[in-house]
Amino acid sequence: KQEVTQIPAALSVPEGENLVLNCSFTDSAIYNLQWFRQDPGKGLTSLLLIQSSQREQTSGRLNASLDKSSGRSTLYIAASQPGDSATYLCAVRGSNYQLIWGAGTKLIIKP
Amino acid sequence: DADVTQTPRNRITKTGKRIMLECSQTKGHDRMYWYRQDPGLGLRLIYYSFDVKDINKGEISDGYSVSRQAQAKFSLSLESAIPNQTALYFCATSDGGTGQLGEQYFGPGTRLTVT
């Protein structure tokens, strides 16, 4: 059974720092992996989707990498800003079309 | 206007009551999903539907039922609400992609409290 873990559960850093959020999964047989951002009262926003054949995806200051063999993905945020404060969730899709989710990392960027 | 809407946004109900959560989408997607989120846990899939005539149970379907009234509408019902169904509920949509499984787009969530 696929399990997805995100460590740490919470992270607080000063504005301007580069940071890395981690996501690990137990079964490497995945179709894709998505990173989402969750803001209170606003639902979830998809940030990046990495297909199983890809190694990384980039969008602006965000870069997500995928290493299927080791069961890991990282979300790199460059030059963090207070507006980046949110909970970041990763989810993997397996052969049964279902997304399996991590519990998220709550990120606080201090001005 | 939002592509995926959910009503109500907040609801407090009593144990034993029947309640329906509604979801509508304007993205034209065939696939729709219902999830619940509990504090400290990831989202868990309740039901999903790949088209109007296709309904599938997810990981935690007990105590819930769904109806796909049209391509754009997918409702979730709690026939007899119980306190451990207190959670944040999300509706999502996706297209099937061209051989790939598409991104999911989420509604703003419904916060349900069962007393």
Side-chain angles (χ1 to χ4, degrees):
Chain A
K1 179 183 176 183
Q2 180 72 272
E3 294 182 359
V4 180
T5 303
Q6 292 185 249
I7 296 174
L11 182 62
S12 180
V13 301
E15 179 179 6
E17 283 199 5
N18 303 323
L19 58 97
V20 174
L21 306 181
N22 297 296
C23 174
S24 61
F25 47 95
T26 56
D27 186 349
S28 61
I30 65 171
Y31 277 102
N32 58 43
L33 182 146
Q34 267 185 275
W35 282 94
F36 292 84
R37 169 182 173 141
Q38 183 175 16
D39 294 280
K42 295 186 179 180
L44 286 80
T45 302
S46 178
L47 298 173
L48 291 163
L49 183 150
I50 310 177
Q51 300 293 351
S52 61
S53 59
Q54 297 175 323
R55 295 299 299 269
E56 65 178 342
Q57 282 284 342
T58 298
S59 176
R61 293 183 295 108
L62 305 180
N63 175 277
S65 67
L66 175 63
D67 183 343
K68 279 202 320 176
S69 62
S70 66
R72 293 185 178 186
S73 176
T74 61
L75 179 67
Y76 175 83
I77 302 176
S80 59
Q81 303 169 357
D84 295 329
S85 297
T87 297
Y88 291 80
L89 298 161
C90 72
V92 300
R93 185 184 300 281
S95 59
N96 62 0
Y97 302 101
Q98 296 184 22
L99 283 177
I100 306 299
W101 295 76
T105 295
K106 183 175 183 178
L107 178 63
I108 297 173
I109 307 298
K110 297 175 289 186
Chain B
D1 289 341
D3 295 319
V4 184
T5 58
Q6 293 182 232
T7 56
R9 295 292 310 278
N10 290 281
R11 180 72 182 268
I12 301 173
T13 192
K14 294 183 182 295
T15 297
K17 294 292 188 180
R18 182 179 188 276
I19 184 169
M20 179 181 289
L21 309 183
E22 299 186 347
C23 176
S24 296
Q25 53 110 350
T26 59
K27 297 191 73 69
H29 289 165
D30 291 326
R31 302 181 179 193
M32 299 187 73
Y33 311 79
W34 275 105
Y35 293 92
R36 68 176 278 175
Q37 185 181 36
D38 297 278
L41 299 178
L43 276 71
R44 291 181 292 169
L45 184 64
I46 305 172
Y47 271 96
Y48 62 103
S49 169
F50 280 1
D51 64 41
V52 174
K53 297 181 181 180
D54 177 79
I55 303 290
N56 303 282
K57 292 182 177 180
E59 179 185 357
I60 52 163
S61 59
D62 288 347
Y64 302 93
S65 62
V66 291
S67 174
R68 184 82 183 266
Q69 302 94 324
Q71 185 201 35
K73 296 184 182 297
F74 193 36
S75 59
L76 176 72
S77 294
L78 287 68
E79 296 299 329
S80 180
I82 56 177
N84 76 2
Q85 292 178 314
T86 293
L88 185 57
Y89 289 84
F90 287 104
C91 173
T93 74
S94 71
D95 62 24
T98 54
Q100 294 179 337
L101 300 174
E103 291 184 49
Q104 291 194 3
Y105 297 85
F106 283 78
T110 294
R111 186 166 296 280
L112 176 66
T113 303
V114 183
T115 62

